[in-house]
Amino acid sequence: MLQLLSRSLRRPLSAHTAPRRRTHNIADIEHTNASLLHVVKKSVDERKALLAKISQDVSALDDKAILRRFKELEPIEDAWNRWTSTRKELDDALLFLNDSDPAMASLAHEEITSLTASLSVMVSRTFPALLIPPSPTKHLSALMELKSGVGGSEASLFLADILRMYQRLANAVGWHAAIVAKNDAEGNGIKDATVEFKGPGAYDALRWESGVHRVQRVPATETGGRTHTSTVAVVVLPLIEETEIAPDEELFTMDEIKLEVMRSRGAGGQHVNKTESAVRLTHIPTGITVSMQDQRSQHQNRRLAFQVLRSRLLDIKLTREMEARRATRRSLVKGADRSEKIRTYNYAQGRVTDHRIGLTLKNLHSVLEGDGLQDFIDAVAKHHEEALLADMLEEKGEK
């Protein structure tokens, strides 16, 4: 408010009344975000209660859970204090909006616009970012399995196209992409492939790519110019190395594993075909089977097979935890349903459609080059965060 008054003294007075300009309605912002503000205020009150408890009972200082929670709530209280101080500045500025001095009224309008914008950012970005817990998988890399579906050779060609798309995306964001297994088809197609994307955030970004990807285009072998529809199934799993697993986080014991070795089949030379280098693992409790024969040695195939098995078991564990947390509300993004059609790539119209969020962009070339794919990844992630926030507000609002 002092800034408003000092600026009014520096500016010359106008002989005409300043035109009335439309301002944002803070009441609308508060009404729309009432649940959010209620939860933030409850968190602040919780921290104040913890402070009172610590002040009254010195033994509380030895309670690590209390101290941890007290520290966790500090950023929320700081943000709430900024909200209340900005809100008071706005109330003060509103008093000058209809001032008889046109210069003062104009300054008040500018101040109100700026303060309202700040409050809007706080409810749309600051508070949600503080309330949504950090992703427990943000440090994990990703293991992607791609399998051609309906469409025969055209599906295999499309698999090669989207594999290249993901490799280009990895290069753009700084992940290391490595193909650990691949089964080529005739021509330049690929029947199936397994790829590692190593780098922090790789799993959180790519996990929404799990599902059926559909392409609509005229195949190179089509003489009649008819559009064909083909599909590729993508499964993205969290990738963890054996050295990253703590003893209490082990996903299986060796007693639960059936290990079989056999000769590799298919092309690969005399060494591969004459030695028992292929490995098949079966996790007895779940029935999950992993086969690996692409590497030259049994040791390499065994290591990769165990890595894939860990990824699949961790994926099951994370999915169950997510379902448990979201039991009262269905997710906006059905990431766990790998049989669902999630995206269509239409070559004739140059468009890409994500069916989960209803987003269509005419940027097919950019998506296939890897750059435009980030738009869809960001949009789906945003919907997921909004769903998490809605669930959290519903849960905490009822308490």
Side-chain angles (χ1 to χ4, degrees), residues 234-254:
V234 174
V235 174
V236 178
L237 305 169
L239 178 63
I240 52 173
E241 301 288 351
E242 187 174 5
T243 55
E244 297 176 340
I245 304 175
D248 58 342
E249 296 178 344
E250 185 58 63
L251 298 166
F252 58 85
T253 64
M254 290 306 298

Side-chain angles (χ1 to χ4, degrees), residues 136-142 199-204 238-240 244 314 318:
T137 56
K138 63 181 180 180
H139 63 290
L140 293 180
S141 298
Y203 173 68
D204 276 4
L239 178 63
I240 52 173
E244 297 176 340
L314 179 58
L318 293 173

Side-chain angles (χ1 to χ4, degrees), residues 318-337:
L318 293 173
T319 300
R320 286 175 178 170
E321 290 175 353
M322 179 180 292
E323 290 173 351
R325 289 193 303 267
R326 303 181 61 80
T328 59
R329 186 184 183 97
R330 188 173 182 179
S331 174
L332 291 176
V333 179
K334 297 174 277 293
D337 188 356

Side-chain angles (χ1 to χ4, degrees), residues 1-5 7 23-27 29-30 79 81-97 106-124 126-127:
M1 203 63 239
L2 291 175
Q3 180 184 12
L4 177 60
L5 291 171
R7 289 172 62 191
T23 61
H24 297 288
N25 191 339
I26 183 60
I29 294 176
E30 291 179 327
N81 290 338
R82 291 197 302 273
W83 165 273
T84 54
S85 63
T86 304
R87 185 69 178 82
K88 185 178 185 305
E89 289 181 34
L90 177 62
D91 288 338
D92 293 340
L94 285 170
L95 298 175
F96 291 87
L97 186 59
S106 179
L107 283 171
H109 183 277
E110 293 178 8
E111 196 80 3
I112 290 168
T113 300
S114 175
L115 293 171
T116 305
S118 297
L119 293 171
S120 180
V121 169
M122 292 183 74
V123 295
S124 63
T126 307
F127 288 147

Side-chain angles (χ1 to χ4, degrees), residues 37-52:
L37 294 173
H38 174 67
V39 170
V40 173
K41 182 62 168 59
K42 285 180 66 175
S43 298
V44 174
D45 292 341
E46 180 187 353
R47 190 168 194 268
K48 290 180 178 178
L50 290 174
L51 177 60

Side-chain angles (χ1 to χ4, degrees), residues 37 117 202 260 384:
L37 294 173
E260 300 171 274
H384 173 66

